[in-house]
Amino acid sequence: MSFKTLINSNVTNAFSLVGDLATNVQFTNVTVTGYDFANQTVDSTTIAPITIKGIITNSYRTNDNDKPRVNADIILKSSDIDSKVLDNYDSVIFGGNTYAINKYDDNGFIINITVGREA
């Protein structure tokens, strides 16, 4: 058995063992296509959201430049979604709140995502 196969199977086992600690994380995107000055409305398009099981490993508050923010770190299995697909999304929804995607890192086994929103 190769190490890659062994690590992938252990990641899959870890996600199944955490049970309800893994939560649904929905990836969304809204692209503004224009603004109607007469009606004062924004024209926008959306792509279909994707929902994936993820583990929220850390949730914390910051006060950068006197703007309180809530940030969180999420772990996803790389086998659940290609990180190139994440480039099409700009926000995630979990726990009833919408967070902007700040950054993500994919090592081929897990994807670490850092998200944030204003408090």
Side-chain angles (χ1 to χ4, degrees):
M1 179 184 288
S2 72
F3 282 117
K4 185 174 182 176
T5 304
L6 178 65
I7 292 171
N8 275 328
S9 68
N10 284 332
V11 168
T12 300
N13 287 339
F15 268 77
S16 66
L17 289 174
V18 297
D20 63 349
L21 291 178
T23 185
N24 285 330
V25 178
Q26 184 180 49
F27 290 84
T28 61
N29 183 20
V30 176
T31 303
V32 175
T33 57
Y35 184 78
D36 184 350
F37 288 97
N39 297 327
Q40 296 184 350
T41 58
V42 174
D43 299 324
S44 62
T45 60
T46 61
I47 56 177
I50 297 174
T51 302
I52 300 170
K53 286 286 189 183
I55 301 170
I56 313 305
T57 59
N58 194 10
S59 183
Y60 52 97
R61 294 180 66 94
T62 61
N63 285 323
D64 298 334
N65 299 327
D66 295 327
K67 292 183 182 178
R69 294 188 51 81
V70 176
N71 298 313
D73 298 325
I74 306 169
I75 296 176
L76 306 173
K77 289 190 301 184
S78 293
S79 60
D80 285 348
I81 187 169
D82 186 352
S83 62
K84 293 176 186 171
V85 173
L86 293 181
D87 288 337
N88 298 320
Y89 295 91
D90 59 6
S91 59
V92 296
I93 300 171
F94 64 89
N97 294 310
T98 302
Y99 295 80
I101 298 173
N102 295 338
K103 66 180 180 175
Y104 68 88
D105 178 47
D106 184 358
N107 65 13
F109 303 107
I110 60 171
I111 301 172
N112 293 306
I113 302 174
T114 303
V115 298
R117 67 177 175 86
E118 290 186 15

